[in-house]
Amino acid sequence: MTTKEKIKYYIDSKGISKNKFYTITGLSTSFLDSGNTIGVDKAKIIIEKFPDLSLEWLFFDPGPTLAKKVVS
């Protein structure tokens, strides 16, 4: 599964439409449908807006889709 396919899977599992995703992130409406990879700048935006998305899963495959909550 590509990084963008994983993002699509994540937003679908959260009940978020692509349009809502684009509105939340400010990314272009063709972002998820063009190419397979994302740059660091786009990844930063997505993680800032969706902090429960696991970076480990998104980029390295192992582990759950959702990140563990950090208790301070």
Side-chain angles (χ1 to χ4, degrees):
M1 190 180 305
T2 68
T3 303
K4 288 189 178 181
E5 288 172 334
K6 288 179 180 182
I7 294 169
K8 289 180 202 177
Y9 174 84
Y10 166 78
I11 63 172
D12 185 54
S13 71
K14 300 285 280 187
I16 300 168
S17 69
K18 282 187 191 178
N19 286 335
K20 183 72 173 175
F21 172 82
Y22 297 135
T23 299
I24 292 169
T25 60
L27 298 173
S28 72
T29 55
S30 62
F31 173 74
L32 289 175
D33 296 317
S34 61
N36 293 325
T37 61
I38 64 174
V40 172
D41 57 331
K42 305 284 191 300
K44 184 177 177 184
I45 292 168
I46 293 166
I47 294 304
E48 285 176 352
K49 300 298 181 178
F50 301 99
D52 66 333
L53 177 58
S54 169
L55 281 174
E56 183 179 359
W57 174 76
L58 188 61
F59 292 108
F60 303 111
D61 290 329
T65 304
L66 301 179
K68 295 178 183 174
K69 292 187 178 185
V70 177
V71 178
S72 45

